[in-house]
Structure formats: C-alpha cells, structure tokens
Amino acid sequence: MFLLVGGAVVLTCGCSRENRSTLRADTRDAYRDSVAALDKSWDRAKDYTFDERDKAMAELKSASSRTEARVHDVQANFDEQRADAKQRAAMTELKEADDDYRSKLDALGRAGADTWNAARDETLASWHRLQAAYDRVRSDHDRR
C-alpha cells in the first residue's frame, strides 16, 4: 500500500490538474487508511504486559515496517534544492523522530519485566512524535 501511495505522489507530476487533484485525494485516503491501521496496532500493543511481549513486538515490528516504507518514500522524494527552510526543518525533524523511534523500539525489545512498562510507554510517545513529524512533512508536500 505504501508503494502505491509513494507512486501516486510521483505520478502527480505528469498528470492534468484534474487528475492530480483526484490522485491527491486518493493518496490522502490511502494514507489515512494506513495511519488508521498503524494506530490500531499501537492501540492493541500499548496494553500488552511483559508476559505478552512476543505478541507486542510482532505487532509493533509489522507496524514499523509499514512506517519505515512511508518514511523512506518521503525521504527519497524530498527535493532539498526546491525545499524552503520550513520544509527542510520538517524533514530534519522526521529523520530525528524516525531514529528515536527505532532506538526506542529496539530498547523495548530488550526490556526486562521491571522496565517493560516504561519502555513501552516511551516507545508509544516516540511513535506519536514520528507520526506528527511525518504529518508535517506530508502537509508541506501536499501544499505544493
């Protein structure tokens, strides 16, 4: 699905204005659907206990691979030369948030029974930061 979204963004360059508008709407819908699916993964995972860590980690790794594809697509299509200062700052924030999320997810995978809840909560907070950063980059891109 993420490749579809990324491909749709790239294809908007060669389409008529009407087609670009329709394609942007379809892309936004696909994006919203993917965000909803990822949020459901986190809703399920946020209540997992240490004893359920294997299930939680499988759920989160699946969500993370989808997130990684979206982030990679945005980064690959980012034009540093055409970007203004606000867009460059948003992209820097996205990169930092992505690094932080990966780090927190790794720490969650290594967490023990005594640190599980704190690591899970930190990972969730980091996920929300990553999602917000991604939304800012996408918002800047969609305004162009």
Side-chain angles (χ1 to χ4, degrees):
M1 176 170 13
F2 298 109
L3 293 178
L4 171 68
V5 172
V9 171
V10 171
L11 290 174
T12 60
C13 298
C15 300
S16 70
R17 178 173 286 209
E18 183 178 318
N19 288 344
R20 279 194 307 263
S21 177
T22 301
L23 196 50
R24 262 191 220 112
D26 291 346
T27 301
R28 275 192 298 272
D29 290 345
Y31 168 69
R32 284 186 196 119
D33 290 346
S34 65
V35 167
L38 292 171
D39 285 344
K40 284 180 186 177
S41 294
W42 259 111
D43 283 343
R44 287 187 299 269
K46 72 181 180 182
D47 295 324
Y48 287 144
T49 64
F50 178 73
D51 293 335
E52 300 169 305
R53 68 187 174 276
D54 292 338
K55 187 176 180 181
M57 290 307 296
E59 182 91 31
L60 296 175
K61 285 184 185 219
S62 175
S64 293
S65 67
R66 292 177 287 196
T67 300
E68 186 177 322
R70 287 189 314 178
V71 170
H72 176 74
D73 184 57
V74 167
Q75 290 173 338
N77 290 305
F78 184 70
D79 186 352
E80 183 81 29
Q81 304 262 325
R82 291 183 52 206
D84 61 24
K86 182 180 176 185
Q87 292 165 332
R88 284 191 296 274
M91 183 56 73
T92 298
E93 182 181 354
L94 177 62
K95 289 176 184 176
E96 290 171 359
D98 185 44
D99 290 344
D100 182 63
Y101 177 72
R102 288 177 195 223
S103 172
K104 296 286 194 278
L105 190 61
D106 287 343
L108 180 62
R110 293 186 311 272
D114 58 333
T115 59
W116 174 262
N117 289 341
R120 183 197 58 213
D121 294 346
E122 288 176 13
T123 306
L124 178 59
S126 184
W127 159 252
H128 286 300
R129 178 179 172 224
L130 175 60
Q131 190 61 50
Y134 180 83
D135 288 344
R136 276 188 285 285
V137 169
R138 290 294 311 157
S139 176
D140 285 344
H141 182 274
D142 288 345
R143 279 193 292 251
R144 286 193 239 163

